[in-house]
């Protein structure tokens, strides 16, 4: 199927799957353990019915949304994704540039395959930085200082990785660090020549911000120790809050009491996220966790939601249950995998046009002026 026949994010995913060796596709597409949480994210969205209102003039629809003092053209942005160059060469840069062109936020991952400085330049004022807190304070401080120097105004601290998630597909594919060319991998490479040749030209995918620190890493455990820590608590988070002058967002919140604590600590926002179902398999879908969190916060913080956004209407389902902004993780990445820059644009257009159509169908002419209570959720899941 050509790109122009891709009607949905799912279609782009299917196309990406055909073009990318299995181990690399699974690295992005997969989730924790049996992937129940990953599926639940999507299914829970599908279960929420919004009731259309008609006879409203929707000849002009404005999708602009304001967050952290900046106005974006859409109420969504790109979530941080590490090691995305394994999926498609230069995927980070392609997405950062796309987000700039479309005037939406691009969140640069600590674990990106491109340096945070290069991504700041590519996103050109639309970049937010995502921080993983290392067990080594000097590593964390190094990243914060670099993010500050690169001009990021918004920093997102990811807190939902006390341990790396167990991803069954990666184990089955025998993914290893450093990457090994097993016979199975060689066969997959031979079967996907376009990916293999393009990737070969661009060199081995890596985690660019830590290149020096990881030079001598011989195991996944070494990488993990540098990137994340099981010892992250509110104490470090408070220190980071005091250290970072810009907007601070805490990513990976699922419990209302944790959300309230983020507000007390002086954060500016949270991302209700389960890491796209990549951390645990037993948790709630984010859209299920959202209503209690929104109620507990009663407007104290900006609420962003991610995990499972595949349709424009999901953005409005999130709004109906209390999130003013969303991030898409895999959705735009599938686009890059399906067709490079053009594929990414196709993914962006699909989300944009689906959102626009859903707003029209729901009788809403301005996203910015949209009150949560104006969206009618069948079966009373919303908290008006
Ligand atoms: C391949 C991959 C890598 C990711 N890397 C990071 C990361 O480095 N930092 C982070 O905070 N979240 C990371 N995430 C989680 C995303 O930021 C986001 O929470 C998730 O993708 C949302 O779910 P969705 O893909 O269903 O939209 C990653 C997700 C994927 C799929």
């Amino acid at each position: 199927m050509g790109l122009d026949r891709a009607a949905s994010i799912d279609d782009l995913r299917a196309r990406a799957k055909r073009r990318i060796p299995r181990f690399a596709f699974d690295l992005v597409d997969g989730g924790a353990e049996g992937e129940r949480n990953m599926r639940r994210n999507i299914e829970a969205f599908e279960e929420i019915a919004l009731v259309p209102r008609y006879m409203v003039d929707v000849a002009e629809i404005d999708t602009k949304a304001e967050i952290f003092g900046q106005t974006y053209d859409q109420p969504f942005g790109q979530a941080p994704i590490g090691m995305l160059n394994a999926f498609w060469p230069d995927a980070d840069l392609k997405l950062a540039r796309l987000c700039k062109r479309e005037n939406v936020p691009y969140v640069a991952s600590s674990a990106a395959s491109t340096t945070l400085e290069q991504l700041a330049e590519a996103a050109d004022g639309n970049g937010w930085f995502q921080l993983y807190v290392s067990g080594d304070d000097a590593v964390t401080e190094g990243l914060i200082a670099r993010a500050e120097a690169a001009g990021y105004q918004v920093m997102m601290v990811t807190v939902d990785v006390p341990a790396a998630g167990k991803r069954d597909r990666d184990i089955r594919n025998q993914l290893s660090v450093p990457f090994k060319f097993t016979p199975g991998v060689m066969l997959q490479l031979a079967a996907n020549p376009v990916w293999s040749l393009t990737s070969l030209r661009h060199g081995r995918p890596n985690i660019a911000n830590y290149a020096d620190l990881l030079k001598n890493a011989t195991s996944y455990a070494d990488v993990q120790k540098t990137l994340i820590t099981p010892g992250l608590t509110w104490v470090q988070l408070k220190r980071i809050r005091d250290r970072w002058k810009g907007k601070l967002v805490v990513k990976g919140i699922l419990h209302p009491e944790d959300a309230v604590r983020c507000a007390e600590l002086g954060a500016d926002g949270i991302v209700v996220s389960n890491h796209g179902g990549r951390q645990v398999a037993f948790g709630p879908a984010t859209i299920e966790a959202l209503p209690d969190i929104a109620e507990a916060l009663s407007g104290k913080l900006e609420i962003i939601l991610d995990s499972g956004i595949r349709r424009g209407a999901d953005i409005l389902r999130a709004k109906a249950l209390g999130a003013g902004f969303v991030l898409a993780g895999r959705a735009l990445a599938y686009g890059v995998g399906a067709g490079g820059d053009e594929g990414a644009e196709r993914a962006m257009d699909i989300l944009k046009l689906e959102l626009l159509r859903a707003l029209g169908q729901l009788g809403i002419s301005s996203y910015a002026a949209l009150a949560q209570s104006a969206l009618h959720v069948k079966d009373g899941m919303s908290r008006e």
Side-chain angles (χ1 to χ4, degrees), residues 27-30 41 79-82 84 109-112 130 132 158 160 251 273-278 306-310 327-331:
L27 181 69
V28 169
D29 189 59
N41 283 333
I81 297 196
L84 195 57
S109 161
S110 273
Q130 175 266 325
Y132 274 132
T158 299
D160 61 2
K251 175 170 183 280
S273 170
N274 60 23
H275 223 103
R278 292 167 69 80
D306 79 14
S307 302
I309 300 283
R310 297 291 182 276
L327 296 175
R330 296 181 184 87

Side-chain angles (χ1 to χ4, degrees), residues 255-382:
H255 196 292
E257 285 170 22
D258 286 349
V260 170
R261 237 174 132 171
C262 289
E264 288 166 359
L265 182 128
D268 299 285
I270 56 165
V271 187
V272 177
S273 170
N274 60 23
H275 223 103
R278 292 167 69 80
Q279 282 305 108
V280 301
F282 48 75
T286 50
I287 196 73
E288 293 171 321
L290 178 63
D292 288 343
I293 291 174
E295 188 179 29
L297 283 177
S298 56
K300 284 195 197 94
L301 294 181
E302 292 285 0
I303 304 180
I304 302 168
L305 177 135
D306 79 14
S307 302
I309 300 283
R310 297 291 182 276
R311 291 279 178 187
D314 294 340
I315 300 161
L316 298 176
R317 288 164 160 142
K319 173 78 183 180
L321 297 181
F325 210 89
V326 306
L327 296 175
R330 296 181 184 87
L332 297 178
Y334 288 140
V336 182
D341 283 313
E342 236 182 289
E345 263 159 40
R346 183 81 185 174
M348 176 63 82
D349 282 348
I350 287 172
L351 285 182
K352 271 169 49 181
L353 294 174
E354 283 183 354
L355 172 65
L356 201 66
R357 196 179 300 270
L359 283 165
Q361 301 280 15
L362 289 163
I364 297 157
S365 59
S366 161
Y367 184 86
L370 172 63
Q372 187 187 339
S373 58
L375 290 165
H376 301 276
V377 179
K378 184 74 183 145
D379 292 331
M381 270 189 79
S382 78

